[in-house]
Amino acid sequence: MNRFKLFLIAAIVAIAGAMPASAQFKIGPKIGATVSSLKFDRSVFDSDNRAGFTGGLMCEFTVPVVGVGFDLSAMYVRRSTRWMESNNVVSDSRDYFTIPVNLKWKMRLPLVKPFLTTGPEFAFLTSGRSVGEAWRNKKIDYSWNFGAGVEILGHLQLAAAYGIGLNSALQKTGVADNATKVEAKNRVWTLTAAYLF
């Protein structure tokens, strides 16, 4: 097991161990839609927004009095992108297994509880890596998410989040000169609904 996986497991165990005994734990299914694009570091590329979907399982720990906690999800995500390169359209659909880990603050209101979230997301590519003849998807994509939502009647959570890619999601293949490499980072809007028990 590599250092990154050990660090992730240790962080989750440490956070869970630090939660007081009165913390509330909930778990349930989560589904939604994604709208993704790629942010290139060169102006010669132009990416547009494409729709995808997501689904999986979410768990949440919350300290009841202060409304602070975190949520952790295991999600399948389909991201689609399309961009122009030298007047040619390049399309790509990628499947990921993602693990978003969010710090969450929830307002303590009786029936409807607005909340804010932020945290990292780790996406592991599960589909093919090659994109045409000139591009290759990276195996792991890291991003940072900012979100907001509302919990209704203690179970249904509706949320919107924006993820900013921290590393390049694509690499150009067959490039000998490092100066000509192209960076392309994910930008993803995600709308989700979760029902927690």
Side-chain angles (χ1 to χ4, degrees):
M1 189 177 294
N2 64 30
R3 290 182 196 168
F4 171 74
K5 290 179 183 175
L6 287 173
F7 172 76
L8 181 62
I9 291 169
I12 292 169
V13 169
I15 292 170
M19 299 298 282
S22 63
Q24 296 176 346
F25 174 78
K26 296 180 181 180
I27 190 168
K30 182 178 178 180
I31 60 169
T34 64
V35 177
S36 58
S37 65
L38 289 169
K39 175 70 174 169
F40 288 91
D41 64 348
R42 293 167 185 259
S43 59
V44 294
F45 297 93
D46 184 25
S47 172
D48 60 4
N49 295 325
R50 306 294 286 174
F53 58 89
T54 184
L57 193 64
M58 173 182 160
C59 65
E60 175 188 86
F61 294 91
T62 307
V63 179
V65 177
V66 294
V68 175
F70 74 94
D71 66 48
L72 172 71
S73 301
M75 306 293 291
Y76 165 81
V77 178
R78 164 68 59 95
R79 293 179 185 162
S80 297
T81 53
R82 184 176 66 183
W83 66 93
M84 293 289 295
E85 178 185 7
S86 303
N87 295 323
N88 294 321
V89 176
V90 181
S91 296
D92 181 27
S93 291
R94 293 158 292 157
D95 298 321
Y96 290 96
F97 171 72
T98 67
I99 304 172
V101 182
N102 290 307
L103 180 66
K104 179 180 273 184
W105 175 69
K106 196 183 298 182
M107 293 182 190
R108 307 308 295 167
L109 300 176
L111 300 176
V112 176
K113 298 179 175 71
F115 60 83
L116 299 173
T117 61
T118 188
E121 179 174 294
F122 310 95
F124 304 92
L125 186 70
T126 60
S127 61
R129 294 189 65 195
S130 295
V131 183
E133 297 179 358
W135 295 92
R136 190 170 175 84
N137 287 312
K138 295 280 188 81
K139 290 182 180 179
I140 300 176
D141 183 46
Y142 306 101
S143 60
W144 194 272
N145 295 330
F146 300 90
V150 63
E151 180 181 275
I152 302 169
L153 300 175
H155 295 288
L156 178 63
Q157 291 191 6
L158 304 175
Y162 184 66
I164 299 171
L166 301 177
N167 68 317
S168 185
L170 281 174
Q171 68 182 34
K172 202 159 174 58
T173 58
V175 177
D177 181 6
N178 287 337
T180 61
K181 286 188 177 178
V182 178
E183 293 275 317
K185 297 180 180 180
N186 278 312
R187 298 289 189 263
V188 182
W189 280 101
T190 306
L191 304 174
T192 57
Y195 194 86
L196 305 181
F197 300 94

